[in-house]
Amino acid sequence: MTAVLGGCGLTGDSDGVTLRLVAADYGDSKENSSQKYWDELVKSYEAKNPDVHVDVTVYSWNDVDRKVREMVEAGKAPDMAQIGAYSDYADKDLLYRADDVLSIPVQADFVSQLAGAGQVNGVQYGLPFAASTRVLFYNKTLFSEAGVTPPKSWDDLAEAAEALKDKGVKYPYALPLGPEEAPAETMQWMLSGGGGYTDDVGTYSIDSPQNVTTFTWLRDELVGKGLTGPVAPGKLNRAAAFDAFAGGDVGMLNGHPSLMKAASDKGVKYGMVTTPGADGESRNTLGVSDWMTAFKKNGHQEEIGDFLDFVYSEENVLDFSREYGLLPVTTSASQTMSTAPEDKKLKPFLDELLLSQLYPVGKTSWASVSADVKKHIGEAVAPGGNPGEVLGEIQATAMRAGSAE
């Protein structure tokens, strides 16, 4: 799975074209590794296209972005990379545009929010590959024992957390602001307070009054009252929070579709509701997308396009989404999934996707901002922390990084 890629490109006239694809692993075991998914998909594609060979290497999410960056810096960019970000490569003119490689029907089939998030200066370079949204998961058994109902507002959430704490629940509300996925939990809370990373015109507004109010509330009403568990939010990673929920130790947390299977496998009875907002259900939710990119380095524009059209067929998008409990990135597959009985549990997430807001991934500065959030946001909610100061420092990082765009 982690073999080092060799040279890219033509393997010789007699062999046709070899396309190199680097992809991320969505599986949680060897049995459902993404390598298995890609091997089966490629076998099907090559049976119909004997002159094209597709060589796929899968890396863990901990390694894949770094591996691709190292390949690019060494002058050995793959033909395609399915990774977490694209804007840096687009900014350096290393990528094909979406309309350079995809057929018009395939490009037009992307869910509009995701297609828009794949644009730099109005041109789409990032091809959405997998998507998810967030809802509030709650442990039905713990809620019943504490005599509380699912929250609709922040005040409801705090009251429920107090009742859960009184019943000895280890994590009344799990707040994972650790480095693994701090930008997601941060944005979910910003949105629920009427803020976000950017304003309506796309300018960074990290230290807006709404965001400062949100993190002040978190510091005072949840963290400060011991309602977020024994691990400081800045040290708690999403994977650990999900494991704790599946272990029955968490009352509530923001989660994405993969948590359903993890909880069910451990026998946890869970419910899902719209993320609570400051004054009622949040009007906005976080959407997350991973990206497929097509590099110019080796040519092969036509072959890349033909293969990607195959990848984004409704059948293949549905197969991937169902295998890994993720949301489809195309409208056709979304429509099929929204009415299919087998996908009933994903419907709340599908409904949220149409209202979701995504990270400002089209900004080349986002990588620096995201890294700063991972490093410092936990300080904003720590006892004695100063949310305005911490958010102001992250905003300063955003402005410095953004000045080069």
Side-chain angles (χ1 to χ4, degrees):
M1 273 173 57
T2 54
V4 176
L5 290 183
C8 301
L10 288 168
T11 56
D13 291 341
S14 61
D15 295 328
V17 169
T18 294
L19 299 177
R20 312 288 182 179
L21 166 63
V22 177
D25 195 356
Y26 291 84
D28 55 14
S29 67
K30 189 174 181 180
E31 286 68 35
N32 73 343
S33 164
S34 293
Q35 189 74 55
K36 181 179 177 181
Y37 168 82
W38 284 111
D39 287 348
E40 292 175 357
L41 185 144
V42 165
K43 182 179 179 180
S44 176
Y45 178 77
E46 290 178 348
K48 301 173 184 176
N49 299 272
D51 293 333
V52 179
H53 175 64
V54 185
D55 185 359
V56 182
T57 305
V58 172
Y59 293 103
S60 77
W61 271 111
N62 292 331
D63 299 322
V64 67
D65 289 291
R66 175 176 55 82
K67 291 286 188 181
V68 171
R69 184 172 64 251
E70 289 171 353
M71 293 174 197
V72 172
E73 290 173 351
K76 296 181 179 180
D79 295 282
M80 295 162 284
Q82 186 267 300
I83 47 181
Y86 66 87
S87 58
D88 281 357
Y89 300 126
D91 188 56
K92 295 172 183 174
D93 197 29
L94 300 178
L95 302 179
Y96 285 118
R97 299 158 51 123
D99 55 12
D100 287 334
V101 288
L102 297 178
S103 66
I104 291 173
V106 169
Q107 189 178 356
D109 197 26
F110 286 130
V111 174
S112 59
Q113 283 90 335
L114 304 179
Q119 295 180 358
V120 175
N121 296 324
V123 177
Q124 186 178 355
Y125 294 93
L127 315 180
F129 184 74
S132 68
T133 54
R134 300 293 193 271
V135 298
L136 185 79
F137 281 73
Y138 65 96
N139 183 311
K140 287 186 173 181
T141 302
L142 297 180
F143 264 58
S144 177
E145 291 172 353
V148 290
T149 56
K152 293 185 177 181
S153 68
W154 289 356
D155 287 345
D156 293 345
L157 188 149
E159 289 175 14
E162 285 277 11
L164 291 162
K165 181 186 178 185
D166 290 343
K167 286 292 185 179
V169 175
K170 190 173 182 180
Y171 293 90
Y173 178 84
L175 182 64
L177 294 177
E180 181 187 3
E181 210 187 30
E185 185 75 10
T186 296
M187 184 169 174
Q188 187 72 27
W189 276 99
M190 286 178 169
L191 291 171
S192 73
Y197 285 117
T198 59
D199 60 21
D200 292 341
V201 295
T203 302
Y204 282 115
S205 57
I206 295 165
D207 61 349
S208 69
Q210 296 96 320
N211 291 340
V212 173
T213 296
T214 295
F215 280 85
T216 301
W217 187 89
L218 283 171
R219 181 197 65 188
D220 295 344
E221 302 301 325
L222 289 187
V223 182
K225 293 183 178 179
L227 302 179
T228 53
V231 180
K235 302 288 186 184
L236 182 65
N237 280 324
R238 177 189 57 78
F242 278 22
D243 285 346
F245 186 86
D249 290 329
V250 175
M252 304 170 274
L253 82 172
N254 287 323
H256 55 61
S258 70
L259 184 55
M260 294 190 296
K261 183 177 185 300
S264 295
D265 287 349
K266 293 290 185 68
V268 171
K269 295 179 180 178
Y270 65 88
M272 300 181 295
V273 293
T274 300
T275 302
D279 301 310
E281 292 182 353
S282 179
R283 289 185 291 275
N284 297 306
T285 192
L286 168 70
V288 175
S289 179
D290 303 321
W291 304 97
M292 179 69 77
T293 54
F295 285 87
K296 295 179 180 178
K297 173 71 176 177
N298 311 304
H300 306 158
Q301 178 179 349
E302 184 177 343
E303 292 85 358
I304 290 171
D306 189 68
F307 177 67
L308 289 178
D309 276 358
F310 181 74
V311 168
Y312 284 106
S313 69
E314 182 180 342
E315 178 185 358
N316 288 328
V317 170
L318 284 170
D319 284 348
F320 179 84
S321 302
R322 286 168 172 161
E323 175 66 29
Y324 298 107
L326 293 164
L327 304 183
V329 296
T330 61
T331 301
S332 58
S334 295
Q335 289 172 343
T336 297
M337 190 174 273
S338 67
T339 57
E342 65 190 281
D343 302 310
K344 185 179 179 181
K345 286 186 176 180
L346 280 172
K347 194 167 189 316
F349 299 95
L350 285 165
D351 292 343
E352 294 282 4
L353 185 60
L354 299 177
L355 303 171
S356 67
Q357 294 189 27
L358 281 79
Y359 299 138
V361 288
K363 293 177 174 289
T364 56
S365 55
W366 172 242
S368 297
V369 174
S370 177
D372 218 34
V373 170
K374 291 178 180 181
K375 192 173 182 180
H376 295 296
I377 195 63
E379 300 165 12
V381 299
N386 186 325
E389 188 175 294
V390 173
L391 293 172
E393 290 171 354
I394 299 173
Q395 173 73 11
T397 294
M399 298 305 289
R400 285 193 299 271
S403 66
E405 293 178 332

